[in-house]
């Protein structure tokens, strides 16, 4: 067997073995992750939220009143952010809709922040 | 007095420099220019190019036994630094998108195809199997893995392999898009993927433990890499060791990056680097990157078909590690086709899967050829 044929045979063997082991092991891992989802992931129960009965204003507890006040604060926050975005993007306020606000600094990895601050052009 | 001056002049680098060392200095200056002015992977290429310069200063002998860089280089030679880099990478990585969409692991596996295509090419060019494995791993687009494997299988190629790996990683936005467009149709590129589900904290904590056990049992030589990657990630996700997590993703990784860059660059001495093999390695490295990208995109196309058009094949190219650049390239190409399409988080799944995939491939190659 010539060196070329030997090299070719060795490469094919390594290729099949390497790709095979990698694909199979990562496939097994994906199955384990699917299994983990079944055990640990509980989708948010929307029905429960929707079926809460309506109540009179007198029945609202101080805790809930505090939450309402927080919501008012959040409206102010949305207004401020919308104004800032409007100035930054040079777009009228009515063309900007804030879907949700999420604090990103505490959990976002360093390169996630880099991606946000310096988007690829 | 005159004799003393002559002796001094004879001991200077100006007297002892060889033409090969001058060429190497020129290469080092070019890499510095690319890193500083063009911003090609500057965090790595600045120390690598400076190390290359130091190693080619005549008479200094920094990489000879007893020299300053010789001792630091032991961290590379003994396989200590790459796992420490992985510790920081793990602490910086959010595996959430991968846990939310586990099938993206398969894309991370498919994108390793370039490694084996290059292995074949290198063998046919006359490299022995250990050298071919070290050259092929460039296709994993993962610097620490490439350095880890090459330092064990073919240390004499370390400089060329590291320079090729990091240069091509910086060129991912140039190399990948034409291949991605060539292999996909406009319809495939405009697929809008479903939003990923939220991932619970428990899943994120269990994930690094499962991966470490599963992968390390399968390919024990890769335990240091995968173990450190996942330890860093556990630091990040468990929420009780924030100080360790911050150290791993900042001070530790920065210090080790300086050491690894400087000493890997210093292995590129004139006699090791100025050879026809270096040109061949650079060309094969390009083949490795292109092959990995093609493998990921083609598998993405297969998933597009099998899922009934729900998977955008562009996320497949992100399987070649190069975190997070490759995922950003997927996003950029998708957005060029459809400005409102955001596939960045979907591409992060295969992107981080590629890191695990290339570490497993390194383990397989070490199992086969380290003896």
């Amino acid at each position: 067997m010539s060196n070329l044929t030997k090299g070719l045979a060795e490469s094919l063997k390594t290729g099949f073995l390497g790709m095979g082991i990698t694909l199979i092991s990562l496939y097994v891992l994906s199955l384990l992750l699917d299994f983990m989802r079944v055990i640990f992931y509980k989708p948010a129960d929307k029905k429960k939220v929707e079926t809460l009965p309506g109540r009179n204003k007198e029945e609202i507890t101080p805790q809930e009143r505090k939450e309402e006040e927080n919501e008012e604060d959040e409206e102010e926050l949305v207004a401020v952010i919308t104004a800032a975005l409007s100035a930054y993007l040079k777009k009228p306020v009515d063309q900007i809709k804030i879907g949700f606000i999420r604090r990103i600094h505490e959990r976002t990895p360093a390169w996630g922040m880099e991606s946000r601050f310096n988007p690829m052009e | 007095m005159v004799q003393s001056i002559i002796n001094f002049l004879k001991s200077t680098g100006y007297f002892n420099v060889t033409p090969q060392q001058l060429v190497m200095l020129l290469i080092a200056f070019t890499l510095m220019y690319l890193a500083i002015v063009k911003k090609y992977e500057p965090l790595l290429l600045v120390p690598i190019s400076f190390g290359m310069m130091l190693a080619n200063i005549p008479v200094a002998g920094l990489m000879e036994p007893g020299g300053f860089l010789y001792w630091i280089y032991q961290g590379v030679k003994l396989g200590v630094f790459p796992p420490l880099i992985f510790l920081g990478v793990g602490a910086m990585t959010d595996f959430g998108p991968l846990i939310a969409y586990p099938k993206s692991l398969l894309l991370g596996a498919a994108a390793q195809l370039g490694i084996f295509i290059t292995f074949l090419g290198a063998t046919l060019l006359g490299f022995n199997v250990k050298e071919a494995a070290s050259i092929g791993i460039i296709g994993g687009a993962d610097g620490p893995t490439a350095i880890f494997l090459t330092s064990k299988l073919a240390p004499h190629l370390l400089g060329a392999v590291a320079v090729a790996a990091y240069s091509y990683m910086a060129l991912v936005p140039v190399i990948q898009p034409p291949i991605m467009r060539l292999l996909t149709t406009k319809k495939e590129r405009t697929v809008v993927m479903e939003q990923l589900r939220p991932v619970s904290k428990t899943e994120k904590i269990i994930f690094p433990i499962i991966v470490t056990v599963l992968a390390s049992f399968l390919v024990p030589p890769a335990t240091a890499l995968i173990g450190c990657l996942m330890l860093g990630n556990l630091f990040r996700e468990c929420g009780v060791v924030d100080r360790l997590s911050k150290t791993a993703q900042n001070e530790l990784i920065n210090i080790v990056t300086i050491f690894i860059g400087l000493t890997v660059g210093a292995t590129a001495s004139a006699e090791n680097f100025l050879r026809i093999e270096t040109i061949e390695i650079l060309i094969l490295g390009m083949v490795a990157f292109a092959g990995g990208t093609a493998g990921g995109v083609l598998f993405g196309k297969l998933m597009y078909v099998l899922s009934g058009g729900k998977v955008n094949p562009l996320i497949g190219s992100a399987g070649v590690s190069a975190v997070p650049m490759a995922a950003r390239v997927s996003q950029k190409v998708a957005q060029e086709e459809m400005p409102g399409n955001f596939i960045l988080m979907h591409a992060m799944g295969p992107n981080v899967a590629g890191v695990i995939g290339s570490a497993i491939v390194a383990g397989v190659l070490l199992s086969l050829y380290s003896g």
Side-chain angles (χ1 to χ4, degrees):
Chain A
M1 201 190 277
S2 71
N3 281 345
L4 192 73
T5 323
K6 261 187 191 171
L8 194 65
E10 182 69 23
S11 303
L12 289 176
K13 185 194 85 183
T14 309
F16 278 119
L17 207 59
M19 279 307 286
I21 291 172
T22 310
L23 267 169
I24 290 169
S25 57
L26 292 187
Y27 179 65
V28 170
L29 182 59
S30 79
L31 293 180
L32 284 172
L33 292 182
D34 278 331
F35 182 63
M36 205 160 78
R37 186 195 62 207
V38 173
I39 299 173
F40 296 109
Y41 177 60
K42 304 270 183 291
D45 196 350
K46 283 181 187 169
K47 260 188 180 174
K48 212 174 174 181
V49 177
E50 281 163 10
T51 52
L52 275 176
R55 285 182 298 169
N56 293 330
K57 231 177 177 179
E58 296 81 60
E59 290 172 355
I60 294 174
T61 62
Q63 173 66 26
E64 283 168 327
R65 194 164 293 130
K66 202 173 175 186
E67 278 170 12
E68 265 184 22
E69 280 167 12
N70 281 346
E71 271 174 26
E72 279 172 23
D73 287 348
E74 278 179 11
E75 277 178 16
E76 278 178 25
L77 189 63
V78 170
V80 170
I81 290 175
T82 311
L85 277 175
S86 164
Y88 180 71
L89 299 171
K90 292 181 183 139
K91 263 186 176 180
V93 175
D94 57 357
Q95 283 186 19
I96 297 171
K97 190 182 169 194
I98 305 280
F100 65 96
I101 300 169
R102 187 161 50 96
R103 186 182 290 274
I104 57 174
H105 285 263
E106 285 168 2
R107 301 286 295 163
T108 307
W111 49 39
M113 293 304 301
E114 179 65 17
S115 172
R116 286 193 175 103
F117 289 137
N118 297 308
M120 189 181 282
E121 285 166 11
Chain B
M1 180 68 182
V2 174
Q3 190 56 44
S4 298
I5 292 172
I6 291 172
N7 285 345
F8 172 73
L9 288 175
K10 278 187 177 174
S11 73
T12 64
Y14 299 105
F15 187 85
N16 289 286
V17 70
T18 63
Q20 289 87 345
Q21 284 171 327
L22 287 176
V23 173
M24 284 307 297
L25 289 176
L26 208 61
I27 293 173
F29 299 149
T30 309
L31 289 175
M32 268 183 231
Y33 169 80
L34 291 175
I36 296 167
V37 180
K38 297 287 179 188
K39 298 192 168 51
Y40 285 179
E41 292 284 327
L43 288 177
L44 263 305
L45 276 189
V46 168
I48 285 179
S49 54
F50 207 88
M52 196 181 272
M53 185 181 82
L54 289 177
N56 288 286
I57 288 178
V59 192
L62 293 182
M63 277 296 274
E64 282 164 19
F68 165 63
L69 292 179
Y70 172 83
W71 295 113
I72 302 178
Y73 176 66
Q74 299 311 304
V76 175
K77 196 177 172 187
L78 300 172
V80 177
F81 290 158
L84 287 178
I85 294 266
F86 259 40
L87 188 73
V89 171
M92 281 196 265
T93 304
D94 177 8
F95 283 100
L98 178 64
I99 302 170
Y101 185 57
K103 293 285 176 291
S104 55
L105 274 161
L106 297 176
L107 293 167
Q112 310 307 320
L113 183 68
I115 295 175
F116 299 103
I117 293 175
T118 312
F119 184 98
L120 172 66
T123 313
L124 295 181
L125 279 176
F127 287 98
N128 65 42
V129 285
K130 289 185 177 186
E131 292 169 335
S134 303
I135 298 166
I137 202 73
I138 297 171
D142 194 321
T145 304
I147 292 169
F148 185 75
L149 186 79
T150 309
S151 66
K152 293 194 180 296
L153 293 185
H156 55 287
L157 297 182
L158 197 52
V161 167
V163 167
Y166 284 112
S167 304
Y168 290 136
M169 271 161 68
L171 291 174
V172 159
V174 180
I175 298 170
Q176 286 196 318
I179 300 166
M180 293 157 79
R181 287 192 200 100
L182 185 73
L183 295 176
T184 53
T185 62
K186 187 172 172 63
K187 191 183 167 199
E188 289 167 342
R189 290 195 294 273
T190 51
V191 169
V192 178
M193 293 183 71
E194 280 173 20
Q195 196 176 348
L196 294 172
R197 72 172 174 90
V199 174
S200 69
K201 192 178 175 187
T202 315
E203 287 173 281
K204 284 188 174 182
I205 292 174
I206 293 175
F207 174 77
I209 300 166
I210 288 183
V211 173
T212 307
V213 173
L214 183 81
S216 304
F217 269 59
L218 186 69
V219 277
T223 304
L225 282 178
I226 292 172
C228 281
L229 179 74
M230 292 300 144
L231 174 63
N233 191 246
L234 188 62
F235 282 167
R236 172 193 167 84
E237 301 298 350
C238 70
V240 291
V241 287
D242 275 356
R243 279 169 50 191
L244 301 187
S245 172
K246 281 178 184 158
T247 301
Q249 41 181 304
N250 293 293
E251 293 85 355
L252 181 66
I253 197 168
N254 289 341
I255 291 167
V256 180
T257 299
I258 294 171
F259 288 166
I260 206 169
L262 200 59
T263 52
V264 163
T267 60
S269 58
E271 59 270 27
N272 270 342
F273 202 83
L274 290 181
R275 295 156 63 157
I276 191 70
E277 285 89 344
T278 304
I279 310 270
E280 290 174 345
I281 290 170
L282 290 173
I283 294 169
L284 286 166
M286 175 72 91
V287 173
F289 256 71
T293 305
V297 173
L298 290 174
F299 202 89
K301 280 171 80 83
L302 181 66
M303 285 175 72
Y304 168 82
V305 174
L306 295 178
S307 66
K310 286 181 184 167
V311 173
N312 190 324
L314 291 178
I315 65 169
S317 65
V320 296
S321 308
V323 183
M325 186 69 89
R328 290 170 71 184
V329 169
S330 297
Q331 166 65 21
K332 186 173 171 256
V333 176
Q335 226 163 18
E336 278 168 8
E337 291 295 339
M338 193 187 195
N341 196 5
F342 291 93
I343 59 165
L344 181 66
M345 291 317 285
H346 299 88
M348 281 308 291
N351 206 191
V352 294
V355 180
I356 301 173
S358 55
I360 290 179
V361 171
V364 172
L365 292 172
L366 281 171
S367 299
L368 290 175
Y369 299 120
S370 69

